[in-house]
Structure formats: structure tokens, C-alpha cells
Amino acid sequence: MKSLIVYYSYGGNTKRIAEMIHKQIGGDIFRIETVKPYTGSYDDVVDQGQREVNAGFCPELKPLNVDLARYDTIVLGSPVWWYTFAPAMHSFLQQVDMTGKTVYPFATNGGWLGHTLQDFEKNCKGAAVKPGIGIKFDEAVLRTSENEIQQWIKGIH
Ligand SMILES: Cc1cc2nc3c(=O)[nH]c(=O)nc-3n(C[C@H](O)[C@H](O)[C@H](O)COP(=O)(O)O)c2cc1C
């Protein structure tokens, strides 16, 4: 069975890592998008994100044109928003059934990963959630070594 990479990315960092993984493992790749885009300055989005995370808000997503039944290995990627995955990833995980899947989570962040990887585990009920990786960026500059990322990718099967 093929693997699937599902990711959300606001600024592009998570997209970059998702594409790096896709290049290596192949399979399919799907980008989660909210119906209502986040607008305003970066600080506006940081503030909106804080309100949404605190409220447990799950934004409406564009149609999920992906059939999870076709995959048994799923890589999930999100930026860290206020110490957890972004609300759009929360929406996705509310909508799907991960039972029986093997899940590999990654989270790009600015140095404060918080409880993001544990939250993936909690929100993928019935799945085997494998050790995830936090990948650090300073704005758009990748700080986690490519070697560390490659080692983690090699463990996906
Ligand atoms: C709303 C918001 C909240 C964030 N909260 C955190 C955080 O709690 N910890 C952290 O290390 N970085 C935080 N960041 C930084 C992002 O996680 C980091 O820049 C990430 O790589 C962005 O990925 P993207 O470009 O795919 O959106 C936050 C960014 C935004 C926009």
C-alpha cells in the first residue's frame, strides 16, 4: 500500500519539509487548506491562532479529496501554533478515522514544540503513532540538521 503525507502550512516551512519527505518516500501528498484564509500581519495571525487554540476552535476545511482507506502509513505535518498543532490540523483529525493506521508526525516550530507530538498521539485514536520529530526554523531558515531529518525519514515504512 502507498503512503500518504498530509500537512498544513501557513508560511511554507511545513510544506518544504513535507515535500522533502515526499521526494524520499513517494506515495501521495495532500495539503490541508482552510476555507477562510488567515489574513492580516504575521502578528495578527499569531494572535488569532492563540485565540483559536485556547478555544479549541476547528476551522472549516476545503474538501478533503483524499481517501484514507487507500493508505496504511500516514505522515502528518503541522506547524506548532501555541505549543500544539495548528487548528487546521485539529479540524482534519476530527474529520478522519485513523484506526489501524501507522502515523508518523512532524511539527515545524521556532523552538517551542510544547506538547504537539503528544497531541498527535491523543488525536489519532486507534492508530500506531510512531515517534515524531520537531523541526526547528528561525523564520524561514532551517535549523534542525538535514542529517537528523534524513534519519527520521529513513524510519518511515
Ligand atoms: C499562530 C502561530 C503560533 C505559533 N506558535 C509557536 C509556538 O508555540 N512554538 C514555536 O516554537 N513556534 C510557534 N510559531 C512559529 C511556527 O511554528 C514556525 O514558524 C513554523 O515553522 C511555521 O510553519 P509554516 O511556515 O509551515 O506555517 C507560531 C507561529 C504562528 C503563526
Side-chain angles (χ1 to χ4, degrees):
M1 254 194 196
K2 272 198 294 195
S3 54
L4 174 69
I5 300 164
V6 178
Y7 71 97
Y8 173 74
S9 186
Y10 167 67
N13 291 345
T14 312
K15 176 174 191 276
R16 175 172 158 195
I17 301 299
E19 287 172 351
M20 184 192 286
I21 297 167
H22 187 220
K23 237 190 200 164
Q24 310 249 349
I25 71 169
D28 292 330
I29 183 165
F30 178 78
R31 182 178 192 165
I32 297 168
E33 286 178 287
T34 56
V35 168
K36 222 173 133 205
Y38 289 91
T39 54
S41 69
Y42 184 78
D43 285 346
D44 291 339
V45 176
V46 168
D47 289 344
Q48 183 179 347
Q50 184 173 31
R51 288 192 299 274
E52 292 187 358
V53 166
N54 287 345
F57 175 73
C58 290
E60 193 187 337
L61 303 182
K62 290 191 182 172
L64 300 177
N65 292 323
V66 65
D67 178 13
L68 288 197
R70 295 177 51 220
Y71 310 92
D72 48 14
T73 297
I74 300 180
V75 178
L76 295 176
S78 173
V80 174
W81 278 22
W82 294 97
Y83 315 109
T84 186
F85 43 60
M89 177 56 72
H90 198 182
S91 301
F92 173 78
L93 292 174
Q94 296 272 308
Q95 287 180 33
V96 298
D97 181 4
M98 287 292 185
T99 306
K101 309 293 183 196
T102 302
V103 172
Y104 295 85
F106 72 94
T108 71
N109 64 89
W112 294 271
L113 183 58
H115 37 85
T116 310
L117 297 178
Q118 292 92 314
D119 291 343
F120 272 113
E121 219 175 308
K122 280 192 208 150
N123 285 274
C124 293
K125 294 239 156 42
V129 182
K130 300 292 185 180
I133 184 173
I135 298 171
K136 186 174 184 272
F137 280 86
D138 282 335
E139 297 188 352
V141 181
L142 178 59
R143 294 296 186 195
T144 297
S145 76
E146 299 245 0
N147 185 43
E148 192 185 327
I149 300 170
Q150 292 305 330
Q151 286 307 316
W152 182 79
I153 295 173
K154 277 191 193 139
I156 300 173
H157 42 75

